[in-house]
Amino acid sequence: MRPFDYYKPDTFEEAFRLLSLPDKVVMPLAGATDLIPMTRDEHWQPDVVVDVKGLPGLRDIKETAEGLFVGAAVPMAELVHHPLVNGPRWNLLAQAAAAMGNEQVRSRATLGGNLCTASPAADSAPALLTLEAFAVIRGAAGERRVPMAEFFLGPRKTALQKGELLVGVLIPVPPKGTAATYVKLSRRKAGDLAIVGVAVLAYPQNGGYRWRMALGAVAPTPIRAPEAEAALNAGHDEAAIEHATQCAFDTCCPIDDIRASAEYRKAMVRRIARRAIEGVLEKLS
């Protein structure tokens, strides 16, 4: 592993100064489940590593007037068991966190790291897209909020600018009666990245249901599936479900990689989307 300089700032001001160092590759550290192996294998070559997990508020999980705030340095394992996250309103995020890695990885990996790595297969991303969450970003110029749908720009690319830090996510309160499910297909039951991940959410409205769906590991970024949502908004009988799964199939554009072929991924999108839809309908019944 290449040597690098390590800093652990106590304030945001110091963190922003370090993250903005000119002519340096600077990377934040929280759980380090990606940073350590990627640096060890020289895929990443940081000059400076800034340990941010001790900064104020980054370990917070709290309900606010706007919804649920989850700090970027909260471990995934804490999301699985926290009463607010695993309660009736935001348990879709708890489901996604439980699907990520294994217990040892979840105890170190953080929500912010899972998002900022910007892997198309990140388990938390489809859940947060479906919950219509916001990335809360802070830098020397102040704080801004970016809809999660605009946070991912490509594989390993996010809306973060140099010197900025993801401090957490803000998840609005879901409509009353919301039910949601995250379904993941991977090579092993635990400890593996998604081949396909599908998050589906529905809530009652005007005598019917409004639906949201997001897909992971089947495009350059995690994505919403608006045509599938529209198909389900029109009804949720067998014909509507079949139409929605076809729309999900048409929306995705996966690649071949070591875990699965693009052809297999596309075929599995239909099956996993159906399981997620049926899981939501079971909760709504």
Side-chain angles (χ1 to χ4, degrees), residues 67-273:
L68 181 70
F69 175 82
V70 181
V74 173
M76 301 295 277
E78 190 172 341
L79 296 178
V80 177
H81 303 293
H82 194 280
L84 273 178
V85 184
N86 202 18
R89 290 178 170 179
W90 296 289
N91 68 77
L92 179 60
L93 179 56
Q95 294 178 50
M100 185 259 184
N102 52 43
E103 188 64 31
Q104 292 94 330
V105 171
R106 289 193 294 271
S107 69
R108 288 290 307 175
T110 62
L111 177 61
N114 196 236
L115 296 172
C116 290
T117 301
S119 165
D123 289 302
S124 63
L128 291 172
L129 283 169
T130 307
L131 289 164
E132 298 189 340
F134 293 85
V136 182
I137 297 170
R138 193 178 297 175
E143 183 176 292
R144 62 191 180 102
R145 296 178 183 177
V146 176
M148 197 56 60
E150 299 172 16
F151 182 73
F152 304 106
L153 304 182
R156 309 291 184 184
K157 296 180 181 179
T158 72
L160 287 168
Q161 302 295 318
K162 186 174 179 64
E164 288 187 326
L165 185 67
L166 177 70
V167 297
V169 297
L170 179 64
I171 312 172
V173 178
K176 187 176 181 179
T178 292
T181 297
Y182 178 68
V183 180
K184 171 182 177 177
L185 173 68
S186 58
R187 293 179 301 177
R188 297 186 295 273
K189 188 174 182 180
D192 204 358
L193 294 174
I195 293 173
V196 175
V198 180
V200 174
L201 176 153
Y203 57 91
Q205 187 180 84
N206 299 328
Y209 294 103
R210 298 293 295 181
W211 292 78
R212 302 175 193 165
M213 180 187 293
L215 312 175
V218 293
T221 66
I223 55 172
R224 286 281 290 267
E227 292 83 5
E229 295 173 356
L232 293 167
N233 289 339
H236 54 270
D237 57 11
E238 176 57 33
I241 293 173
E242 183 64 22
H243 184 201
T245 62
Q246 179 62 47
C247 289
F249 175 93
D250 293 338
T251 298
C252 68
C253 51
I255 61 169
D256 297 318
D257 66 14
I258 193 171
R259 295 191 303 280
S261 67
E263 182 181 8
Y264 179 73
R265 277 193 165 94
K266 284 183 72 75
M268 289 300 102
V269 162
R270 299 187 67 165
R271 292 181 178 272
I272 302 305

Side-chain angles (χ1 to χ4, degrees), residues 10-25:
D10 296 319
T11 66
F12 280 106
E13 290 74 18
E14 178 66 6
F16 298 147
R17 185 189 69 79
L18 291 166
L19 291 167
S20 302
L21 287 172
D23 304 319
K24 298 286 186 181
V25 177

Side-chain angles (χ1 to χ4, degrees), residues 28-49:
L29 179 154
T33 55
D34 282 311
L35 179 65
I36 289 175
M38 295 293 277
T39 303
R40 178 197 62 208
D41 296 340
E42 298 190 347
H43 297 299
W44 296 347
Q45 297 184 356
D47 301 306
V48 176
V49 169

